[in-house]
Amino acid sequence: RKGKWFMSYSYETPVSTTQVSGFIGIDRNARDNVATLSDLESGKVLRIGPDVKLWKDNLKNRKAKLQRKGAKKLLKKINSKQSNRTKDINHKVSKQIVDYAVIHRKSIVLENLGKIKDSKKCGRFVQKSNWSFYQLETFIKYKASLRGIPIIYIKPENTSRACSRCGSINAVSGKAFKCTNCGHKD
């Protein structure tokens, strides 16, 4: 690349095992912060990563202007910058999640978002968000496996509508949640 040679190699590292006693839920967001971590036992909710909406919108506008002008070299440079920054943010977010799980000895619970692009309701929204959720998932997986933290996958149906206290299904208004059964607000 640009007259420089790079080498890539792989090696095996020993994996430690950690005794876990609980779960933390990770919600990968399409809006606001990159991920939200919730610890059910302590009730702690952490919003991890920056709000990337303004940055993404700015890049989208810049790319549209460059495409109209036909500036292919600058477009390639901006795409590379966007890719590098996304990767950097995903590395930092995944490290925070795994570090929290190790310190508190918790398993990580992720939604199985494998076919989300094919879904009629979420597909367009996820594509529009332009964030690499799968890359974040792979970073969490490899960092957790190196530290001996198990990862559990759940079905994403009704996870945003289920009350974390009593489990009843409710209607959600944007990001605000209020349980009609027990009155819990989130």
Side-chain angles (χ1 to χ4, degrees):
R1 190 180 319 147
K2 294 184 181 178
K4 295 181 181 178
W5 287 85
F6 295 88
M7 183 179 87
S8 176
Y9 64 94
S10 61
Y11 57 94
E12 290 186 28
T13 56
V15 176
S16 63
T17 55
T18 304
Q19 289 286 24
V20 293
S21 61
F23 305 96
I24 55 170
I26 306 299
D27 184 22
R28 292 166 280 176
N29 298 326
R31 284 185 272 168
D32 299 329
N33 303 86
V34 176
T36 304
L37 179 149
S38 59
D39 188 343
L40 298 177
E41 288 178 14
S42 69
K44 189 180 256 188
V45 176
L46 301 173
R47 285 162 182 78
I48 303 173
D51 183 354
V52 292
K53 183 182 179 346
L54 291 174
W55 169 65
K56 289 187 301 185
D57 289 346
N58 183 16
L59 280 176
K60 190 176 173 184
N61 292 336
R62 286 173 60 193
K63 285 199 263 184
K65 287 178 184 175
L66 290 172
Q67 280 179 332
R68 283 192 294 268
K69 291 180 180 179
K72 291 183 180 180
K73 280 187 179 180
L74 284 174
L75 267 171
K76 195 173 182 180
K77 188 176 179 181
I78 286 178
N79 284 336
S80 177
K81 275 186 176 182
Q82 180 180 11
S83 175
N84 289 339
R85 185 160 182 199
T86 301
K87 193 175 188 179
D88 179 59
I89 291 171
N90 279 339
H91 268 300
K92 289 175 181 174
V93 167
S94 62
K95 184 178 183 328
Q96 282 182 288
I97 290 168
V98 173
D99 286 347
Y100 185 93
V102 168
I103 291 168
H104 294 85
R105 297 180 181 271
K106 308 275 185 182
S107 294
I108 297 173
V109 179
L110 294 171
E111 293 173 317
N112 187 3
L113 300 177
K115 303 262 187 222
I116 196 148
K117 277 190 178 180
D118 301 334
S119 113
K120 290 179 182 173
K121 282 185 180 179
C122 299
R124 241 179 292 139
F125 186 71
V126 169
Q127 287 175 345
K128 198 171 147 184
S129 76
N130 197 22
W131 195 256
S132 182
F133 298 111
Y134 181 71
Q135 183 185 63
L136 178 61
E137 179 183 332
T138 57
F139 289 171
I140 292 171
K141 275 178 19 182
Y142 92 78
K143 289 175 185 181
S145 69
L146 286 173
R147 308 279 295 272
I149 300 294
I151 294 181
I152 300 163
Y153 289 95
I154 60 169
K155 291 181 181 178
E157 289 87 19
N158 292 327
T159 54
S160 297
R161 299 182 342 156
C163 178
S164 60
R165 297 270 163 83
C166 68
S168 65
I169 305 296
N170 300 280
V172 179
S173 173
K175 290 272 185 180
F177 177 88
K178 184 174 186 216
C179 181
T180 55
N181 193 26
C182 68
H184 173 66
K185 292 180 183 178
D186 227 346

